Amino acid sequence: MTYSIIGILASLVLIISNREILFNFKKNNLSKSLKGYRFFLYGVLGYYLTDLLWGILESNKLVISLFIDTTIHFAVMVGTVVLWTLYVVSYLESKTVFSKILKYTSYVFFGLVFLALIVNCFIPIFFEIDADCNYEARMARYITLTIQIL
């Protein structure tokens, strides 16, 4: 349960420091890039939420729920990478070949991770959670981590 406190604190800091962007719903009040930043922040909040739930589920030894949450966690994580990429391209107002490659590469990355997570439901290539709720990363997780760092 202590693990979840980090997600709670991170969510609170994110909400407090970005409240004007997160809760500003007046039409045409935010630029296109700030709207992209808002979606990125929503993705980060989703990431924090799944991370927060992970601690609760793990401490209560709910194996199936933990597996589902971990799967959603990784999908949200890679979705947040896509949202960050779209925000950066929008912020820079870039219409170069590089920005298009960056944007479409993030879509392909999301699709491949999504497929790996589906396969992971049957064959543990991304992660595995045993009956005692112990998490073990697999090769696909290390590959996606390397790609995210790059």
Side-chain angles (χ1 to χ4, degrees):
M1 186 66 182
T2 305
Y3 180 87
S4 295
I5 292 172
I6 296 168
I8 293 168
L9 292 175
S11 297
L12 288 173
V13 169
L14 187 136
I15 289 168
I16 291 168
S17 62
N18 293 285
R19 69 184 175 282
E20 285 121 20
I21 293 171
L22 286 169
F23 304 114
N24 185 344
F25 296 112
K26 296 178 182 173
K27 281 193 170 183
N28 300 324
N29 208 15
L30 293 177
S31 67
K32 182 180 178 185
S33 65
L34 282 179
K35 287 178 185 174
Y37 182 61
R38 176 194 292 166
F39 285 118
F40 167 68
L41 292 176
Y42 288 152
V44 173
L45 280 172
Y47 172 80
Y48 288 157
L49 178 64
T50 60
D51 200 40
L52 180 153
L53 285 173
W54 201 95
I56 294 168
L57 297 170
E58 190 275 333
S59 67
N60 289 301
K61 303 298 182 198
L62 301 171
V63 179
I64 295 171
S65 297
L66 187 62
F67 183 88
I68 292 168
D69 179 68
T70 306
T71 302
I72 294 169
H73 176 78
F74 285 118
V76 169
M77 181 190 308
V78 75
T80 303
V81 171
V82 173
L83 293 171
W84 175 82
T85 304
L86 296 175
Y87 163 65
V88 168
V89 169
S90 174
Y91 176 78
L92 296 175
E93 297 178 355
S94 178
K95 296 184 190 323
T96 65
V97 172
F98 177 73
S99 66
K100 289 179 183 176
I101 290 171
L102 187 64
K103 187 166 62 171
Y104 291 114
T105 300
S106 72
Y107 293 150
V108 169
F109 181 55
F110 179 81
L112 291 174
V113 171
F114 193 78
L115 288 174
L117 289 171
I118 291 171
V119 170
N120 193 71
C121 293
F122 306 101
I123 304 167
I125 62 169
F126 209 88
F127 67 89
E128 186 172 17
I129 297 176
D130 67 17
D132 293 325
C133 287
N134 295 314
Y135 168 86
E136 184 180 336
R138 298 296 180 147
M139 185 56 71
R141 172 63 187 128
Y142 296 120
I143 293 168
T144 58
L145 179 62
T146 303
I147 292 169
Q148 285 174 295
I149 291 168
L150 294 174

